[in-house]
Structures are given as structure tokens and as C-alpha cells.
């Protein structure tokens, strides 16, 4: 999160009158995000064992088991999803984006490392490990009376809702880049990001958190590589 704030916030606020010094706004933003991530991590650690969701590699690390053994089943699905996601991200950004969004994005430079760290780690900890886990647990507790493992319909509900929140979470950044956030732009931003959120949520459910992290991070790398010849 710190990498994204340090690189992007000064560009966004370049022509904006801030109520406080830029460095203070950056510190506040990083602190707020860190607290949200900490809360999401705590929720995930507390609730995932009860509902069958997991982060196998992290669990192996803290229990002195083989991390590679825990990662091995996640690598291939994460690789496939990351490549497909990267192609989709490039296609959406390069061809499907409304002209106003495409033009605005060219005004900002976000280093690949910041995209990988924020998208691959921060967003997955917040939306999958935290929010999706919490939603699954709520449905399991209230609608299933804590019996057995969560039914697929409840997990899918959590996947879709957390993906929608993931999509909606991109609206503030979009609003800062365009003069008017129209209904069409809202549908595009939320819809495109929701599709990615569903993909990463499924990976988390079926393979583990690391598969979602790997796929999300790799999608940014693949999209960046594909776009290089056109740059």
C-alpha cells in the first residue's frame, strides 16, 4: 500500500488544494490502510479454520512444515489464472476502456512493483482473506447453523459480494481521474473489476489464498509485458 500511495498520490493531488500537507495526507492514508489490512488478517486467521478456507503456505510456514509442498497445488491454477487475467487486463485497458478512462490513465504512472504489491497482496488480504472470509462465515453461521462446511451457494455468494465490493473500491480512484463519473463509467469500472474479483475469489476457495495472490500479481506482470511493445 505504501508503494502505491507514495507513487500515485502526489500525481493525483498535483493540482488539488489539500487540507493538510501532502506528507501528512500520505501518512494518514498509509496508516488507515495498514489498520484495515491488520483487521482483515486478524479476521482471516480467526475465521478461516472454521469454514474450510485457508492459506496453506502461510500455515505451513508457522507450523514448520514444507512451504513448497503447500504451494505446489496452487502454482498451476494460479499461473493459468494469472496469464488469462493479464491478457484480460490488457484487453480491457487497451481496447475496452471508455476513451475518458483510457485518456486519464495515461496521465498517471504507477510502477509495476506498486501494482504487484498492492493488487497481489493488499487487495487480496483485504477482499479475499478478510471480507470474503467474513461473509462466508456469516452465511454459514446464520443460514447453516454452523453445521458442516459452508454450502457452495454461500461461498459463491461471498465470492460475488466481495468481488462487487472490490469493483466498487476502484470508483474513488476513477472519480479522481475524470470530470464526471457517469452511470456507464460506474458500470464499466465495477463490472470489469468484479469479474477479476470472482476469479481470484474462486482460487482462494478452491486452492488457497496464495493462489489468488499469485494470480492477481501475475496478471499485472503479464499485462505490463504485453503492453511494452505498444509503449
Amino acid at each position: 500500500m505504501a508503494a502505491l500511495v507514495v507513487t500515485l498520490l502526489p500525481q493525483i493531488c498535483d493540482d488539488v488544494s489539500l487540507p493538510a500537507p501532502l506528507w501528512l495526507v500520505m501518512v494518514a492514508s498509509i496508516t488507515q490502510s495498514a489498520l484495515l489490512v491488520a483487521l482483515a488478517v486478524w479476521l482471516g486467521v480467526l475465521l478461516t479454520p472454521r469454514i474450510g478456507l485457508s492459506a496453506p503456505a502461510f500455515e505451513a510456514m508457522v507450523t514448520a512444515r514444507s512451504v513448497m509442498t503447500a504451494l505446489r497445488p496452487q502454482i498451476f491454477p494460479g499461473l493459468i489464472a494469472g496469464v488469462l487475467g493479464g491478457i484480460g487486463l490488457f484487453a480491457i485497458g487497451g481496447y475496452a476502456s471508455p476513451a475518458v478512462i483510457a485518456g486519464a490513465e495515461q496521465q498517471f504512472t504507477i510502477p509495476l512493483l506498486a501494482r504487484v504489491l498492492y493488487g497481489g497482496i493488499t487487495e487480496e488480504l483485504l477482499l479475499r482473506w478478510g471480507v470474503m472470509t467474513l461473509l462466508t462465515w456469516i452465511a454459514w453461521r446464520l443460514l447453516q447453523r454452523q453445521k458442516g462446511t459452508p454450502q457452495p451457494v454461500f461461498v459463491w455468494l461471498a465470492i460475488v459480494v466481495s468481488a462487487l465490493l472490490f469493483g466498487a473500491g476502484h470508483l474513488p480512484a476513477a472519480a479522481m481521474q475524470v470530470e464526471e463519473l457517469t452511470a456507464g463509467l460506474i458500470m464499466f469500472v465495477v463490472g470489469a473489476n468484479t469479474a477479476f474479483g470472482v476469479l481470484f475469489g474462486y482460487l482462494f476457495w478452491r486452492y488457497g489464498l496464495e493462489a489468488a495472490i499469485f494470480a492477481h500479481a501475475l496478471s499485472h506482470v503479464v499485462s505490463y509485458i504485453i503492453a511494452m511493445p505498444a509503449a
Side-chain angles (χ1 to χ4, degrees):
M1 179 61 194
L4 188 67
V5 171
V6 170
T7 56
L8 184 58
L9 196 60
Q11 300 178 59
I12 294 177
C13 299
D14 186 36
D15 298 323
V16 178
S17 178
L18 298 174
L22 178 60
W23 69 266
L24 185 58
V25 174
M26 294 171 64
V27 169
S29 179
I30 293 172
T31 301
Q32 180 186 44
S33 298
L35 291 174
L36 289 174
V37 171
L39 176 60
V41 169
W42 176 76
L43 284 172
V45 171
L46 179 66
L47 300 179
T48 51
R50 308 181 188 185
I51 56 177
L53 297 175
S54 65
F58 290 110
E59 292 169 11
M61 190 181 303
V62 299
T63 56
R65 293 183 287 113
S66 172
V67 174
M68 282 307 303
T69 299
L71 277 176
R72 194 169 293 117
Q74 303 185 70
I75 293 175
F76 184 70
L79 177 63
I80 297 299
V83 171
L84 294 177
I87 295 172
L89 188 61
F90 170 76
I92 291 173
Y95 299 99
S97 290
V100 64
I101 288 287
E105 288 181 345
Q106 294 177 0
Q107 301 175 16
F108 303 101
T109 302
I110 304 176
L112 177 61
L113 180 61
R115 300 185 186 196
V116 167
L117 292 177
Y118 181 75
I121 298 178
T122 302
E123 289 184 334
E124 290 307 309
L125 288 175
L126 283 172
L127 275 302
R128 253 58 70 181
W129 186 248
V131 174
M132 180 179 151
T133 295
L134 177 61
L135 293 173
T136 304
W137 177 82
I138 291 173
W140 172 74
R141 180 178 175 85
L142 298 181
L143 303 177
Q144 203 172 319
R145 305 297 183 184
Q146 305 183 59
K147 296 179 181 179
T149 57
Q151 297 178 15
V153 64
F154 298 143
V155 182
W156 273 114
L157 179 64
I159 289 174
V160 172
V161 173
S162 60
L164 283 168
L165 292 174
F166 173 67
H170 289 77
L171 288 175
M176 298 183 70
Q177 298 178 44
V178 299
E179 295 182 0
E180 181 183 3
L181 199 59
T182 64
L185 286 177
I186 292 174
M187 291 180 62
F188 173 80
V189 171
V190 174
N193 286 286
T194 295
F196 288 106
V198 169
L199 174 62
F200 302 141
Y202 176 81
L203 290 172
F204 173 36
W205 175 33
R206 287 304 190 189
Y207 301 100
L209 179 66
E210 294 86 3
I213 289 175
F214 178 46
H216 196 156
L218 182 60
S219 66
H220 285 290
V221 175
V222 170
S223 176
Y224 179 85
I225 293 174
I226 296 174
M228 285 179 63

